[in-house]
Amino acid sequence: MTDIEAETPAIEVRNPGTGDLVGTVPDQSAAEVAAAVRELRLFQPEWEAIGADGRKEWLMKLQDWIIDNTEQLADVLQSETSKPRADALIDPAFATDLIGFYARRAGKFLADDHPSPHSPLARVKRLTTVYSPYPVVGVITPWNFPLAMPALDVIPALAAGAAVLLKPSEVTPLSALELARGWAEIGAPPVFAVVTGGGATGAAVVANADYIQFTGSTATGKKIAAACVERLVPYSLELGGKDPAIVLADADLDRAAHGVAFGGMFNSGQVCISVERVYVEAPVYDEFVAKLTDAVAALRQGLDGRESKHDVGGLANEAQVAIVQRHIDEAVAAGARVATGGKRTGQGTLFQPTVLLDVDHSMACIREETFGPTLPVVEVADEAEAIRLANDSQYGLSASVWTADKARGERVARQLNAGAVNINDVFANLFNFALPMGGWKQSGIGARWGGAAGVRKYCRQKAITTPLLPTAQKELTWFPYQMPKLMVALGAMRAAGARGKRRFDLAGVRKIQGGSK
Ligand code: NAD
């Protein structure tokens, strides 16, 4: 059990599978959050000053620490989530991969840019874009990947040269505290801190940090956006989803069934980019449904110790169980059929992996984010109907298309209103840090990663112009205005920007003189 020096009230952390109390953390006040941000501000300038290479050293030491402490990290993560052991091991591996990418490349990504001037007139200057980190980035995370989710955004922000204050979910704060323990144990500069608490603690982070990186529900994201607008601080929101999978008639149906089963049931469906709706072309509907039902019914569900025995564990808490049950019950009451699953197992928050058939587009299981182990399947006449229904959602996080024809897959992908589309796969974009991960519509604003963009987003850009030629006492366009000289400058601007004979139309420039000779 992890016991942090607790101010009252403390938050109890429980294993949702067993109900066991596995730790307590303080519910930190707004004053404590403000103090943490002040402290981070003191140390950030030095962190920025050591440069990307200096920061790389510390980040790679953290990576070593994560690798060396993987089993302990998985134990803590499992204790607060009831995930299968295999799932619990994913977070440390993911963090390791991400650290390697951003620690090694941040120097290149953050190097000054020297863009070419857009016009011959501007060639008298050397142009420089400088990337200067926001002093303190606030990262607020949900509970579904208690270690990976913080790492996704903390690591690029630290690599950018910002100090980071992390507020993990009150449901799963222990893994984030492990990350902070690792940072302290390697002796790194105190530019990364964790505060614990619920929504009020998160709101205090939003009230004090210079940039907010939020991952969580759309409802909370909107509150955070409003608070950021009030303070005029930038924010990036990674929100909910209702990801469609489109299975076309020419698909490899075995791969599609196994892929959709994995995409829908991984982490009990508690993944922002879980498959939450399936559209299947009519000619293969029956065959696909049979294969999908078999694949889902075969999943092994239960609670793992250190040995990996199960594919699916429990839901994060009773609130999640209630949402999943409601979506199924409402669908069944309106005429849907349960092909497999449909109820809780009776152990903790474990809920049977469920396939729903005969659903329609008015049902909550199709319209609202479930964030649980349900796969509603819809039969469609053709590709066009699949695209239309897939786009008929308030969300647009990601999607998958299953087809033997890659060109067709790409064609469908381009028509889907989503931040990512994986062809014949699920989650593949999540493992490619060179790509941006962001949602369209109600699924978010901004994106994480995307190679250089992933660290540059945590920086303010500064433009510097430096004369390349010896400078005269005055520029042509300075006071006092002298129209002949001004005409030369304006004519040159016109020549650079206009097209055809208008480029050299000095009569037009003369008109600017207002008739003066
Ligand atoms: P949530 O919105 O309830 O909470 C997320 C975090 O915000 C928690 O740390 C919470 O304490 C904090 N918070 C709550 N109110 C706040 C406020 N007013 N100001 C500041 N912080 C506040 O979400 P959740 O239930 O923890 O997570 C599930 C949601 O996260 C799902 O909707 C899921 O789709 C989404 N999610 C999105 C992504 C993505 O990358 N797009 C990834 C994972 C999860």
Side-chain angles (χ1 to χ4, degrees), residues 139-145 149 152-153 167-172 197-206 212-221 223-224 227 237-242 270-274 276 317 320 369 371 395 397 430 437-439 443-444 448:
V139 174
I140 300 173
T141 53
W143 41 256
N144 56 343
F145 293 92
M149 205 40 85
L152 300 189
D153 299 310
K167 208 298 284 176
S169 169
E170 60 274 35
V171 181
T172 56
T201 311
V205 172
V206 177
I212 305 301
Q213 172 65 46
F214 171 76
T215 306
S217 64
T218 299
T220 307
K223 287 187 202 160
I224 288 176
L237 307 175
E238 303 294 327
L239 308 177
K242 190 74 192 171
Q270 302 168 113
V271 188
C272 54
I273 53 173
S274 284
E276 291 228 356
N317 51 33
Q320 283 304 122
E369 183 179 47
F371 222 59
Y395 295 110
L397 195 52
L430 184 63
M437 181 194 180
S443 292
R448 56 166 65 96

Coordinates of all heavy atoms in Angstrom, one line a residue, residues 139-145 149 152-153 167-172 197-206 212-221 223-224 227 237-242 270-274 276 317 320 369 371 395 397 430 437-439 443-444 448, ligand 1:
V139 N -0.3 19.1 -17.1 CA -0.8 17.9 -17.8 C -1.9 17.2 -16.9 O -1.6 16.9 -15.7 CB 0.3 16.9 -18.1 CG1 -0.2 15.6 -18.7 CG2 1.3 17.5 -19.0
I140 N -3.1 17.1 -17.4 CA -4.2 16.4 -16.6 C -4.6 15.2 -17.3 O -4.9 15.2 -18.6 CB -5.3 17.4 -16.5 CG1 -4.9 18.7 -15.8 CG2 -6.5 16.8 -15.7 CD1 -5.9 19.8 -15.7
T141 N -4.7 14.1 -16.6 CA -4.9 12.8 -17.3 C -6.0 12.0 -16.7 O -6.4 12.2 -15.6 CB -3.6 11.9 -17.2 OG1 -3.2 11.8 -15.9 CG2 -2.5 12.6 -18.0
P142 N -6.6 11.0 -17.5 CA -7.6 10.2 -17.1 C -7.0 8.9 -16.5 O -5.8 8.8 -16.3 CB -8.4 9.9 -18.4 CG -7.3 9.9 -19.4 CD -6.3 10.8 -19.0
W143 N -7.9 7.9 -16.2 CA -7.5 6.7 -15.5 C -7.2 5.5 -16.3 O -6.8 4.5 -15.8 CB -8.6 6.4 -14.4 CG -10.0 6.5 -15.0 CD1 -10.9 7.5 -14.7 CD2 -10.7 5.6 -15.9 NE1 -12.1 7.3 -15.4 CE2 -12.0 6.1 -16.1 CE3 -10.3 4.4 -16.5 CZ2 -12.9 5.6 -16.9 CZ3 -11.3 3.8 -17.4 CH2 -12.5 4.4 -17.6
N144 N -7.4 5.6 -17.6 CA -7.4 4.3 -18.4 C -6.0 3.7 -18.6 O -5.9 2.5 -18.7 CB -8.2 4.4 -19.7 CG -7.7 5.5 -20.6 OD1 -7.0 6.4 -20.1 ND2 -8.1 5.5 -21.8
F145 N -5.0 4.6 -18.7 CA -3.6 4.1 -18.7 C -2.8 4.9 -17.7 O -2.2 5.9 -18.1 CB -3.0 4.2 -20.2 CG -3.7 3.3 -21.1 CD1 -4.8 3.7 -21.9 CD2 -3.3 2.0 -21.3 CE1 -5.5 2.9 -22.7 CE2 -4.0 1.1 -22.1 CZ -5.1 1.5 -22.9
M149 N -0.5 7.2 -20.0 CA -1.2 8.4 -20.3 C -0.4 9.7 -19.8 O -0.3 10.6 -20.6 CB -2.6 8.3 -19.7 CG -3.7 9.1 -20.3 SD -3.7 9.2 -22.1 CE -4.6 7.8 -22.6
L152 N 2.7 10.1 -22.1 CA 2.4 10.6 -23.5 C 2.7 12.1 -23.6 O 3.2 12.5 -24.7 CB 1.0 10.4 -23.9 CG 0.3 9.0 -23.9 CD1 -1.0 9.1 -24.5 CD2 1.2 8.0 -24.6
D153 N 2.4 12.8 -22.6 CA 2.5 14.3 -22.7 C 3.6 14.9 -21.8 O 4.1 15.9 -22.2 CB 1.1 14.9 -22.4 CG 0.1 14.4 -23.4 OD1 0.3 14.5 -24.6 OD2 -1.0 13.9 -23.0
K167 N -1.4 16.3 -13.0 CA -2.5 15.9 -12.1 C -3.1 14.7 -12.7 O -3.9 14.8 -13.6 CB -3.5 17.1 -12.1 CG -4.3 17.2 -10.8 CD -5.2 16.1 -10.5 CE -6.4 16.0 -11.3 NZ -7.2 14.8 -11.0
P168 N -2.8 13.5 -12.2 CA -3.4 12.3 -12.7 C -4.8 12.1 -12.2 O -5.2 12.8 -11.2 CB -2.5 11.2 -12.1 CG -2.0 11.8 -10.8 CD -1.9 13.3 -11.0
S169 N -5.5 11.2 -12.8 CA -6.9 10.9 -12.3 C -6.9 10.5 -10.8 O -6.0 9.7 -10.4 CB -7.5 9.8 -13.1 OG -8.7 9.3 -12.5
E170 N -7.9 11.0 -10.1 CA -8.0 10.6 -8.7 C -8.4 9.1 -8.6 O -8.2 8.5 -7.5 CB -9.1 11.4 -8.0 CG -10.5 11.3 -8.6 CD -10.7 12.3 -9.8 OE1 -9.8 12.5 -10.5 OE2 -11.9 12.8 -10.0
V171 N -8.8 8.4 -9.7 CA -9.1 7.0 -9.7 C -7.8 6.2 -9.7 O -7.8 5.1 -9.0 CB -10.0 6.6 -10.9 CG1 -10.4 5.2 -10.9 CG2 -11.2 7.5 -10.9
T172 N -6.8 6.7 -10.4 CA -5.5 5.9 -10.5 C -4.3 6.8 -10.3 O -3.5 6.9 -11.3 CB -5.5 5.2 -11.9 OG1 -5.6 6.3 -12.9 CG2 -6.5 4.2 -12.1
G197 N -5.5 14.7 -6.5 CA -6.8 15.3 -6.1 C -7.8 15.1 -7.2 O -7.5 14.5 -8.3
G198 N -9.0 15.6 -7.1 CA -10.0 15.5 -8.1 C -10.1 16.7 -9.0 O -9.1 17.3 -9.3
G199 N -11.4 17.0 -9.4 CA -11.6 18.0 -10.4 C -11.1 19.4 -9.9 O -10.6 20.2 -10.6
A200 N -11.3 19.7 -8.6 CA -10.9 21.0 -8.1 C -9.4 21.1 -8.1 O -8.9 22.2 -8.4 CB -11.4 21.1 -6.6
T201 N -8.7 20.1 -7.9 CA -7.2 20.1 -8.0 C -6.8 20.4 -9.4 O -5.9 21.2 -9.7 CB -6.6 18.8 -7.4 OG1 -7.1 18.5 -6.2 CG2 -5.1 18.9 -7.3
G202 N -7.5 19.7 -10.3 CA -7.2 19.9 -11.8 C -7.5 21.3 -12.2 O -6.8 21.9 -12.9
A203 N -8.6 21.8 -11.7 CA -9.0 23.2 -12.0 C -7.9 24.2 -11.5 O -7.6 25.2 -12.2 CB -10.3 23.6 -11.4
A204 N -7.3 23.9 -10.4 CA -6.2 24.7 -9.9 C -5.0 24.7 -10.8 O -4.3 25.6 -10.9 CB -5.9 24.3 -8.4
V205 N -4.7 23.5 -11.4 CA -3.6 23.4 -12.3 C -3.9 24.3 -13.5 O -3.1 25.1 -14.0 CB -3.4 21.9 -12.8 CG1 -2.4 21.8 -13.9 CG2 -3.0 21.0 -11.6
V206 N -5.2 24.3 -14.0 CA -5.6 25.1 -15.1 C -5.4 26.6 -14.8 O -5.1 27.4 -15.6 CB -7.0 24.8 -15.5 CG1 -7.5 25.7 -16.7 CG2 -7.1 23.3 -16.0
I212 N -2.0 24.1 -21.0 CA -2.7 23.0 -20.4 C -2.9 21.9 -21.5 O -3.4 22.1 -22.6 CB -4.1 23.4 -19.9 CG1 -4.0 24.5 -18.9 CG2 -4.8 22.2 -19.3 CD1 -3.2 24.3 -17.7
Q213 N -2.4 20.7 -21.1 CA -2.5 19.5 -22.0 C -3.5 18.6 -21.2 O -3.1 18.1 -20.2 CB -1.2 18.9 -22.2 CG -1.3 17.5 -22.9 CD -1.8 17.6 -24.3 OE1 -1.3 18.4 -25.1 NE2 -2.7 16.7 -24.6
F214 N -4.7 18.5 -21.8 CA -5.7 17.7 -21.1 C -6.1 16.5 -21.9 O -6.3 16.5 -23.1 CB -6.9 18.6 -20.8 CG -8.1 17.8 -20.3 CD1 -8.2 17.4 -19.0 CD2 -9.2 17.4 -21.2 CE1 -9.2 16.7 -18.5 CE2 -10.3 16.7 -20.7 CZ -10.3 16.3 -19.3
T215 N -6.3 15.4 -21.2 CA -6.9 14.2 -21.8 C -8.0 13.7 -20.8 O -7.8 13.5 -19.6 CB -5.8 13.0 -21.9 OG1 -4.7 13.5 -22.6 CG2 -6.4 11.8 -22.6
G216 N -9.2 13.5 -21.4 CA -10.3 13.1 -20.6 C -11.6 13.2 -21.3 O -11.6 13.2 -22.6
S217 N -12.6 13.4 -20.6 CA -14.0 13.5 -21.3 C -14.2 14.8 -22.0 O -13.6 15.8 -21.6 CB -15.0 13.2 -20.2 OG -15.0 14.3 -19.3
T218 N -15.1 14.8 -22.9 CA -15.4 16.0 -23.7 C -16.1 17.0 -22.7 O -15.8 18.2 -22.8 CB -16.4 15.6 -24.8 OG1 -15.7 14.7 -25.7 CG2 -16.8 16.9 -25.6
A219 N -16.9 16.6 -21.8 CA -17.5 17.5 -20.8 C -16.5 18.3 -20.0 O -16.5 19.5 -19.9 CB -18.5 16.7 -19.9
T220 N -15.5 17.6 -19.5 CA -14.4 18.2 -18.7 C -13.6 19.1 -19.6 O -13.2 20.2 -19.3 CB -13.6 17.2 -18.0 OG1 -14.4 16.3 -17.2 CG2 -12.6 17.9 -17.0
G221 N -13.3 18.6 -20.8 CA -12.5 19.4 -21.8 C -13.1 20.7 -22.0 O -12.4 21.7 -22.2
K223 N -15.0 22.5 -20.0 CA -14.8 23.4 -18.9 C -13.3 23.9 -18.9 O -13.1 25.1 -18.6 CB -15.0 22.6 -17.6 CG -16.4 22.3 -17.3 CD -16.5 21.6 -15.9 CE -17.8 20.8 -15.8 NZ -17.7 19.8 -14.8
I224 N -12.4 23.1 -19.2 CA -11.0 23.5 -19.2 C -10.7 24.5 -20.3 O -10.1 25.5 -20.1 CB -10.1 22.2 -19.4 CG1 -10.1 21.5 -18.0 CG2 -8.7 22.6 -19.8 CD1 -9.4 20.2 -18.0
A227 N -11.9 27.8 -19.1 CA -11.1 28.4 -18.1 C -9.8 29.0 -18.8 O -9.2 30.0 -18.4 CB -10.7 27.4 -17.0
L237 N -6.6 19.6 -26.2 CA -7.6 18.7 -25.6 C -7.7 17.4 -26.4 O -8.0 17.4 -27.6 CB -8.9 19.3 -25.6 CG -9.0 20.7 -24.9 CD1 -10.4 21.3 -25.1 CD2 -8.6 20.7 -23.5
E238 N -7.4 16.3 -25.7 CA -7.6 14.9 -26.2 C -8.8 14.3 -25.5 O -8.8 14.0 -24.4 CB -6.4 14.1 -25.9 CG -5.1 14.7 -26.5 CD -5.0 14.7 -28.0 OE1 -5.6 13.8 -28.6 OE2 -4.4 15.7 -28.5
L239 N -9.9 14.2 -26.3 CA -11.2 13.9 -25.6 C -11.8 12.6 -26.0 O -11.0 11.7 -26.5 CB -12.2 15.1 -25.9 CG -11.6 16.5 -25.6 CD1 -12.6 17.5 -25.9 CD2 -11.2 16.6 -24.1
G240 N -13.0 12.4 -25.8 CA -13.7 11.1 -26.0 C -13.8 10.7 -27.5 O -13.5 11.5 -28.4
G241 N -14.3 9.5 -27.7 CA -14.4 9.0 -29.0 C -15.5 8.0 -29.2 O -16.1 7.6 -28.2
K242 N -15.9 7.7 -30.4 CA -16.9 6.6 -30.6 C -16.5 6.0 -32.0 O -17.1 6.1 -33.0 CB -18.3 7.3 -30.8 CG -19.4 6.3 -30.8 CD -19.7 5.7 -29.5 CE -20.6 4.5 -29.5 NZ -20.7 3.8 -28.2
Q270 N -11.8 0.3 -22.5 CA -11.6 1.6 -21.9 C -10.4 2.3 -22.5 O -9.4 2.6 -21.9 CB -11.4 1.5 -20.4 CG -12.6 0.8 -19.7 CD -12.3 0.4 -18.3 OE1 -12.8 0.9 -17.3 NE2 -11.4 -0.6 -18.1
V271 N -10.5 2.5 -23.8 CA -9.4 3.1 -24.5 C -10.1 4.2 -25.4 O -11.2 4.0 -25.9 CB -8.7 2.2 -25.5 CG1 -7.5 2.8 -26.1 CG2 -8.3 0.9 -24.8
C272 N -9.5 5.4 -25.4 CA -10.2 6.5 -26.2 C -10.4 6.1 -27.6 O -11.4 6.4 -28.2 CB -9.4 7.8 -26.1 SG -7.7 7.6 -26.6
I273 N -9.5 5.3 -28.2 CA -9.6 4.9 -29.6 C -10.1 3.4 -29.7 O -9.8 2.7 -30.7 CB -8.3 5.1 -30.3 CG1 -7.1 4.4 -29.6 CG2 -8.0 6.6 -30.5 CD1 -5.8 4.5 -30.4
S274 N -10.8 3.0 -28.7 CA -11.5 1.7 -28.8 C -12.4 1.6 -30.0 O -13.0 2.7 -30.3 CB -12.4 1.4 -27.6 OG -11.7 1.1 -26.5
E276 N -15.9 1.2 -31.1 CA -17.1 1.3 -30.4 C -18.3 1.1 -31.3 O -19.5 1.1 -30.8 CB -17.2 2.7 -29.7 CG -16.3 2.9 -28.6 CD -16.9 3.4 -27.3 OE1 -18.1 3.8 -27.3 OE2 -16.2 3.6 -26.3
N317 N -14.4 1.5 -12.5 CA -15.2 1.7 -11.2 C -16.7 1.4 -11.5 O -17.0 1.1 -12.7 CB -15.0 3.1 -10.7 CG -15.2 4.2 -11.8 OD1 -16.0 4.0 -12.7 ND2 -14.4 5.3 -11.7
Q320 N -18.5 3.3 -14.4 CA -18.3 2.7 -15.8 C -19.2 1.5 -16.0 O -19.8 1.4 -17.1 CB -16.8 2.3 -16.0 CG -15.9 3.4 -16.3 CD -16.3 4.3 -17.4 OE1 -16.5 5.5 -17.3 NE2 -16.5 3.7 -18.6
E369 N -20.4 7.8 -26.1 CA -19.2 7.0 -25.8 C -19.5 6.0 -24.7 O -20.1 6.4 -23.6 CB -18.1 7.9 -25.3 CG -16.8 7.2 -25.1 CD -15.7 8.1 -24.6 OE1 -15.9 8.9 -23.7 OE2 -14.5 8.0 -25.1
F371 N -17.1 3.5 -23.6 CA -15.8 3.3 -22.8 C -15.9 2.0 -22.0 O -15.5 1.9 -20.9 CB -15.6 4.5 -21.9 CG -14.2 4.9 -21.9 CD1 -13.6 5.3 -23.1 CD2 -13.4 5.0 -20.7 CE1 -12.2 5.8 -23.1 CE2 -12.1 5.4 -20.7 CZ -11.5 5.8 -21.9
Y395 N -18.5 12.6 -32.5 CA -17.0 12.4 -32.2 C -16.3 12.1 -33.5 O -16.9 11.8 -34.6 CB -16.8 11.2 -31.3 CG -17.4 11.4 -29.9 CD1 -18.5 10.7 -29.5 CD2 -16.8 12.3 -29.1 CE1 -19.0 10.9 -28.2 CE2 -17.3 12.5 -27.8 CZ -18.4 11.8 -27.4 OH -18.9 12.0 -26.1
L397 N -12.5 10.7 -33.4 CA -11.1 10.5 -32.9 C -10.4 9.6 -33.8 O -9.4 10.1 -34.5 CB -11.2 9.8 -31.5 CG -10.0 9.8 -30.6 CD1 -9.4 11.2 -30.5 CD2 -10.2 9.3 -29.2
L430 N -1.4 5.0 -32.7 CA -0.9 5.3 -31.4 C 0.6 4.9 -31.2 O 1.2 5.4 -30.3 CB -1.8 4.5 -30.4 CG -1.6 4.7 -28.9 CD1 -1.9 6.2 -28.5 CD2 -2.5 3.8 -28.1
M437 N -1.6 12.7 -33.1 CA -2.7 12.0 -32.5 C -3.7 13.1 -32.0 O -3.4 13.7 -31.0 CB -2.3 11.1 -31.4 CG -3.5 10.3 -30.8 SD -3.2 9.5 -29.3 CE -4.7 8.8 -29.0
G438 N -4.8 13.3 -32.7 CA -5.7 14.3 -32.2 C -7.1 14.0 -32.7 O -7.2 13.2 -33.7
G439 N -8.1 14.6 -32.1 CA -9.5 14.3 -32.5 C -10.1 15.4 -33.3 O -9.7 16.6 -33.1
S443 N -14.1 15.4 -30.3 CA -13.0 14.6 -29.8 C -11.7 15.3 -29.5 O -10.7 14.7 -29.0 CB -12.7 13.4 -30.8 OG -13.7 12.5 -30.8
G444 N -11.7 16.6 -29.7 CA -10.6 17.4 -29.2 C -10.2 18.6 -30.1 O -10.8 18.8 -31.1
R448 N -1.4 15.6 -30.0 CA -0.1 15.3 -29.4 C 0.8 14.7 -30.5 O 0.3 14.3 -31.6 CB -0.2 14.4 -28.3 CG -0.9 13.1 -28.5 CD -0.7 12.1 -27.4 NE -1.3 12.5 -26.2 CZ -2.5 12.1 -25.7 NH1 -3.2 11.3 -26.5 NH2 -3.0 12.5 -24.6
Ligands
NAD1 P1 -12.6 13.0 -16.8 O1 -12.9 14.1 -17.8 O2 -13.7 12.7 -15.9 O3 -11.3 13.3 -16.0 C1 -10.1 13.5 -16.6 C2 -9.2 14.3 -15.6 O4 -9.7 15.6 -15.5 C3 -9.1 13.7 -14.2 O5 -7.8 13.8 -13.8 C4 -10.0 14.6 -13.4 O6 -9.7 14.7 -12.1 C5 -9.8 16.0 -14.1 N1 -10.8 17.0 -14.0 C6 -12.1 16.8 -13.7 N2 -12.8 18.0 -13.7 C7 -11.9 18.9 -13.9 C8 -11.9 20.4 -14.0 N3 -13.0 21.0 -13.9 N4 -10.8 21.0 -14.3 C9 -9.6 20.3 -14.5 N5 -9.5 19.0 -14.3 C10 -10.6 18.3 -14.1 O7 -12.3 11.7 -17.7 P2 -12.0 10.2 -17.2 O8 -13.4 9.7 -16.8 O9 -10.9 10.2 -16.2 O10 -11.5 9.5 -18.5 C11 -12.3 9.0 -19.5 C12 -12.4 9.9 -20.7 O11 -11.1 10.2 -21.2 C13 -13.1 9.3 -21.9 O12 -14.0 10.2 -22.4 C14 -12.0 9.0 -22.9 O13 -12.4 8.9 -24.2 C15 -11.1 10.1 -22.6 N6 -9.7 9.8 -23.1 C16 -9.3 10.4 -24.2 C17 -8.0 10.1 -24.7 C18 -7.5 10.8 -26.0 O14 -6.3 10.7 -26.2 N7 -8.3 11.4 -26.8 C19 -7.2 9.2 -24.1 C20 -7.7 8.5 -23.0 C21 -9.0 8.9 -22.5

